[in-house]
Amino acid sequence: MTREKVKLAYIQNDQTRKLTFKKRKKGLLKKMCELTILCDVQACAIIYGKHDTQAEVWPSPAGVQRTYMKFKTMPSMEQTKKQLNMETFLRQQIEKAKDQLRKQKKENHEKEMSIMMSKCLTGRSLQGFNMEDLNDLGWVIDHKVEEINRKMKKVNDELAQNEQSKPCSKNITATSDQRQNDEHAASSGSTHGDDDPTRPSATSADGGA
């Protein structure tokens, strides 16, 4: 049974929030430990709990100091290359949502035009549509016609390919039939030649001599 998806929002209940913080902090530190072992990378964590008297440091104060100093010795461009603050994160999310909205609007509009085209084919009048709707309707019709033409071309190409392969098989069959007829004729000729009464036999020839 799948677990219920957690809503990413501030937990109002104090007790639940404390338990969640404790559980998630333990899981985070465990994942960081696994990351450093599996991938051989340096990592550190400093977690400030709202109700803690001092910060949680992992793996140790000395380890945090080493990782921090290594980070500070890097060029400034390298330090900020993969950093993402809240403002940048929100902007990226907003742009992503806008892009999804544009795609959804386009998809919905194309479906509306397809429905309108179907209604027009049943006899509905085009009166009442503005020029933009008519242009979009024309685009949908052209798109559908191109799709139909592509499918028809594919079917015709397959039929032509099948037709080209048929004469070859017919020739093979005809050649086989001709060979069988020739063999049958040769066999029949040999049999009739042995039974021909007009052909002199070896005994008759000796007797005449």
Side-chain angles (χ1 to χ4, degrees):
M1 183 176 180
T2 57
R3 293 186 298 177
E4 184 179 356
K5 186 176 181 180
V6 178
K7 182 180 179 181
L8 293 179
Y10 180 73
I11 301 175
Q12 298 294 335
N13 186 277
D14 291 341
Q15 187 65 24
T16 304
R17 187 170 62 252
K18 290 179 182 179
L19 292 175
T20 302
F21 173 75
K22 184 177 179 180
K23 180 180 178 181
R24 294 299 178 100
K25 182 177 68 172
K26 183 179 179 181
L28 174 63
L29 297 179
K30 180 181 178 182
K31 289 295 182 183
M32 291 191 67
C33 180
E34 293 175 353
L35 180 65
T36 56
I37 295 173
L38 296 174
C39 303
D40 190 24
V41 297
Q42 285 186 250
C44 65
I46 302 175
I47 304 175
Y48 289 91
K50 186 176 181 180
H51 301 283
D52 294 339
T53 57
Q54 58 183 5
E56 179 88 16
V57 179
W58 186 92
S60 64
V64 172
Q65 187 69 22
R66 285 194 302 269
T67 305
Y68 176 73
M69 292 306 298
K70 181 179 180 180
F71 173 76
K72 292 299 292 184
T73 56
M74 296 172 61
S76 58
M77 291 294 295
E78 289 293 324
Q79 291 181 17
T80 59
K81 183 171 66 175
K82 296 183 179 181
Q83 286 185 2
L84 188 67
N85 55 28
M86 183 59 66
E87 181 181 358
T88 306
F89 174 76
L90 291 176
R91 286 181 178 177
Q92 290 181 356
Q93 293 299 311
I94 291 172
E95 290 299 322
K96 184 178 179 180
K98 287 182 178 179
D99 186 56
Q100 292 177 347
L101 181 61
R102 284 192 295 267
K103 291 181 180 180
Q104 190 63 50
K105 284 183 176 180
K106 181 180 178 182
E107 183 179 348
N108 292 342
H109 191 62
E110 290 178 359
K111 289 181 179 180
E112 290 176 358
M113 292 299 102
S114 298
I115 294 173
M116 185 187 301
M117 181 184 66
S118 300
K119 290 181 178 180
C120 291
L121 292 175
T122 59
R124 179 179 175 180
S125 175
L126 293 177
Q127 293 181 356
F129 296 123
N130 56 37
M131 186 58 65
E132 182 179 359
D133 290 338
L134 293 176
N135 290 333
D136 292 339
L137 179 60
W139 179 87
V140 172
I141 293 174
D142 292 339
H143 181 71
K144 295 294 184 182
V145 170
E146 291 177 0
E147 186 177 354
I148 292 173
N149 290 335
R150 283 196 300 269
K151 291 183 178 179
M152 291 180 62
K153 184 177 182 303
K154 182 179 179 181
V155 172
N156 291 332
D157 292 342
E158 291 177 353
L159 292 175
Q161 186 176 2
N162 293 335
E163 289 295 330
Q164 290 177 359
S165 62
K166 286 182 179 180
C168 182
S169 60
K170 289 181 178 179
N171 292 335
I172 294 174
T173 304
T175 304
S176 178
D177 293 342
Q178 182 65 34
R179 184 164 55 250
Q180 291 178 359
N181 292 335
D182 294 342
E183 292 175 355
H184 180 70
S187 176
S188 300
S190 176
T191 303
H192 291 322
D194 294 341
D195 296 338
D196 189 356
T198 62
R199 180 180 178 183
S201 64
T203 305
S204 300
D206 293 341

